[in-house]
Every structure is written in structure tokens, then in C-alpha cells.
Coordinates of all heavy atoms in Angstrom, one line a residue:
E70 N 0.8 -1.2 0.0 CA 0.0 0.0 0.0 C 0.9 1.3 0.0 O 0.5 2.2 -0.7 CB -0.9 0.0 1.2 CG -2.0 -1.1 1.2 CD -1.4 -2.4 1.6 OE1 -0.3 -2.5 2.1 OE2 -2.2 -3.4 1.5
L71 N 2.0 1.2 0.7 CA 2.9 2.4 0.8 C 3.5 2.6 -0.6 O 3.7 3.7 -1.0 CB 3.9 2.2 1.9 CG 5.0 3.3 2.0 CD1 4.3 4.7 2.2 CD2 5.9 3.0 3.2
I72 N 4.0 1.5 -1.2 CA 4.6 1.6 -2.5 C 3.6 2.2 -3.5 O 4.0 3.0 -4.3 CB 5.1 0.2 -3.0 CG1 6.3 -0.2 -2.1 CG2 5.4 0.2 -4.4 CD1 6.9 -1.6 -2.5
N73 N 2.4 1.8 -3.4 CA 1.4 2.4 -4.3 C 1.2 3.9 -4.1 O 1.1 4.6 -5.1 CB 0.0 1.7 -4.1 CG 0.0 0.2 -4.6 OD1 0.8 -0.1 -5.5 ND2 -0.9 -0.6 -4.1
E74 N 1.2 4.3 -2.8 CA 1.1 5.7 -2.5 C 2.3 6.5 -3.1 O 2.2 7.6 -3.7 CB 1.0 5.9 -1.0 CG -0.4 5.7 -0.5 CD -0.7 6.5 0.8 OE1 -0.5 7.8 0.7 OE2 -1.0 5.9 1.8
I75 N 3.5 6.0 -2.9 CA 4.7 6.6 -3.3 C 4.7 6.7 -4.9 O 5.0 7.8 -5.4 CB 6.0 5.9 -2.9 CG1 6.1 5.9 -1.4 CG2 7.2 6.5 -3.5 CD1 7.2 5.0 -0.8
A76 N 4.3 5.7 -5.5 CA 4.2 5.7 -7.0 C 3.2 6.7 -7.5 O 3.4 7.3 -8.6 CB 3.8 4.3 -7.5
N77 N 2.1 6.9 -6.7 CA 1.1 7.8 -7.2 C 1.4 9.3 -7.0 O 1.1 10.1 -7.8 CB -0.2 7.5 -6.5 CG -0.9 6.2 -7.0 OD1 -0.7 5.8 -8.1 ND2 -1.6 5.6 -6.1
I78 N 2.1 9.6 -5.9 CA 2.4 11.0 -5.6 C 3.8 11.4 -5.8 O 4.1 12.6 -5.8 CB 2.0 11.4 -4.1 CG1 2.9 10.7 -3.1 CG2 0.5 11.0 -3.9 CD1 2.7 11.2 -1.7
G79 N 4.7 10.5 -5.8 CA 6.2 10.8 -5.9 C 6.5 11.3 -7.3 O 5.9 11.0 -8.3
L80 N 7.5 12.2 -7.3 CA 8.0 12.8 -8.6 C 9.3 12.1 -9.0 O 10.3 12.2 -8.2 CB 8.2 14.3 -8.4 CG 8.7 15.0 -9.7 CD1 7.8 14.9 -10.8 CD2 9.0 16.5 -9.3
L81 N 9.4 11.5 -10.1 CA 10.6 10.9 -10.6 C 11.6 11.9 -11.1 O 11.2 12.8 -11.9 CB 10.3 9.8 -11.7 CG 11.5 8.8 -12.0 CD1 11.8 7.9 -10.8 CD2 11.1 8.0 -13.2
K82 N 12.8 11.9 -10.7 CA 13.8 13.0 -11.0 C 15.1 12.3 -11.4 O 15.6 11.5 -10.7 CB 14.0 13.9 -9.9 CG 14.9 15.1 -10.1 CD 15.0 16.0 -8.9 CE 15.9 17.2 -9.2 NZ 15.9 18.2 -8.0
N83 N 15.6 12.7 -12.5 CA 17.0 12.3 -13.0 C 17.9 13.4 -12.9 O 17.6 14.6 -13.3 CB 16.9 11.8 -14.4 CG 16.0 10.5 -14.6 OD1 16.3 9.5 -13.9 ND2 15.0 10.6 -15.4
T84 N 19.1 13.2 -12.3 CA 20.1 14.2 -12.2 C 21.4 13.7 -12.8 O 21.7 12.5 -12.8 CB 20.3 14.6 -10.7 OG1 20.8 13.5 -10.0 CG2 19.1 15.1 -10.1
K85 N 22.2 14.7 -13.2 CA 23.5 14.3 -13.8 C 24.6 14.4 -12.7 O 24.5 15.1 -11.7 CB 23.9 15.3 -14.9 CG 22.9 15.2 -16.1 CD 23.1 13.8 -16.8 CE 22.3 13.8 -18.1 NZ 22.4 12.4 -18.7
E86 N 25.7 13.7 -12.9 CA 26.9 13.8 -12.1 C 27.3 15.2 -11.9 O 27.4 16.0 -12.8 CB 28.0 13.0 -12.7 CG 29.3 13.0 -11.9 CD 30.5 12.3 -12.6 OE1 30.2 11.6 -13.5 OE2 31.6 12.6 -12.2
G87 N 27.5 15.6 -10.6 CA 27.9 17.0 -10.3 C 26.8 17.9 -10.0 O 27.0 19.0 -9.5
D88 N 25.5 17.5 -10.3 CA 24.4 18.4 -10.0 C 24.2 18.6 -8.5 O 24.4 17.6 -7.7 CB 23.1 17.8 -10.6 CG 23.0 18.0 -12.1 OD1 23.9 18.7 -12.7 OD2 22.1 17.4 -12.7
T89 N 23.9 19.8 -8.1 CA 23.6 20.1 -6.7 C 22.1 19.8 -6.4 O 21.2 20.4 -7.1 CB 23.9 21.5 -6.3 OG1 25.3 21.7 -6.4 CG2 23.6 21.8 -4.8
L90 N 21.8 18.9 -5.5 CA 20.4 18.5 -5.2 C 19.8 19.3 -4.1 O 18.6 19.6 -4.0 CB 20.3 17.0 -5.0 CG 20.9 16.1 -6.0 CD1 20.9 14.7 -5.6 CD2 20.2 16.2 -7.3
I91 N 20.7 19.5 -3.1 CA 20.2 20.3 -1.9 C 21.3 21.3 -1.6 O 22.5 20.9 -1.6 CB 20.0 19.4 -0.7 CG1 18.9 18.3 -1.0 CG2 19.7 20.2 0.6 CD1 18.8 17.3 0.1
E92 N 21.0 22.5 -1.3 CA 22.0 23.6 -1.0 C 21.8 24.0 0.4 O 20.7 24.0 1.0 CB 21.8 24.8 -2.0 CG 22.9 25.8 -1.9 CD 24.3 25.3 -2.0 OE1 24.8 24.9 -0.9 OE2 24.8 25.2 -3.1
I93 N 22.9 24.4 1.0 CA 22.9 24.9 2.4 C 22.1 26.2 2.5 O 22.3 27.0 1.7 CB 24.4 25.1 2.9 CG1 25.2 23.8 3.0 CG2 24.4 25.8 4.3 CD1 26.6 23.9 3.2
G94 N 21.3 26.2 3.5 CA 20.5 27.5 3.7 C 19.1 27.5 3.0 O 18.3 28.3 3.3
N95 N 18.9 26.5 2.2 CA 17.6 26.4 1.5 C 16.6 25.6 2.3 O 17.0 24.7 3.0 CB 17.7 25.7 0.1 CG 18.4 26.6 -0.9 OD1 18.7 27.8 -0.6 ND2 18.7 26.1 -2.0
Y96 N 15.3 25.9 2.2 CA 14.3 25.1 2.8 C 14.0 23.9 1.8 O 14.1 24.0 0.6 CB 13.0 25.9 2.9 CG 13.0 26.8 4.1 CD1 13.2 28.2 3.8 CD2 12.9 26.4 5.4 CE1 13.2 29.1 4.9 CE2 12.9 27.3 6.5 CZ 13.1 28.7 6.2 OH 13.2 29.5 7.2
I97 N 13.8 22.7 2.4 CA 13.6 21.5 1.7 C 12.1 21.2 1.6 O 11.4 21.2 2.6 CB 14.3 20.3 2.4 CG1 15.8 20.6 2.4 CG2 14.0 19.0 1.7 CD1 16.6 19.6 3.2
K98 N 11.6 21.1 0.3 CA 10.2 20.9 0.1 C 9.8 19.4 -0.1 O 8.6 19.1 -0.1 CB 9.8 21.7 -1.2 CG 10.0 23.2 -1.1 CD 9.2 23.8 0.0 CE 9.4 25.3 0.1 NZ 9.0 26.0 -1.2
S99 N 10.8 18.6 -0.4 CA 10.5 17.2 -0.6 C 11.7 16.3 -0.2 O 12.9 16.8 -0.1 CB 10.2 16.9 -2.1 OG 11.3 17.4 -2.9
M100 N 11.5 15.1 0.1 CA 12.5 14.1 0.5 C 12.8 13.1 -0.6 O 11.9 12.6 -1.2 CB 12.0 13.4 1.8 CG 13.0 12.6 2.5 SD 12.3 11.3 3.5 CE 12.0 10.0 2.3

């Protein structure tokens, strides 16, 4: 049931080597 929920609301994101995903001092909107 949890996997189904994650699949329904989660956002799939692809990043490249060297990309900054989280920066110091920023508020985090998703995990």
C-alpha cells in the first residue's frame, strides 16, 4: 500500500553527475 502511494504522488527525477540537489540554507520541500 505504501509503495502504491509513493508511486502515485512521488516525482521521478533524474540528475547528472555533479548536480547540486540540496543547497545549504535552502528550505527543503521534498524528501
Side-chain angles (χ1 to χ4, degrees):
E70 294 77 12
L71 176 55
I72 287 179
N73 289 336
E74 281 207 56
I75 295 173
N77 287 332
I78 69 167
L80 176 65
L81 194 65
K82 181 177 182 180
N83 295 302
T84 62
K85 295 294 185 182
E86 176 184 346
D88 285 353
T89 299
L90 306 175
I91 300 172
E92 187 53 272
I93 295 169
N95 288 352
Y96 285 102
I97 297 174
K98 303 293 181 64
S99 56
M100 189 200 82

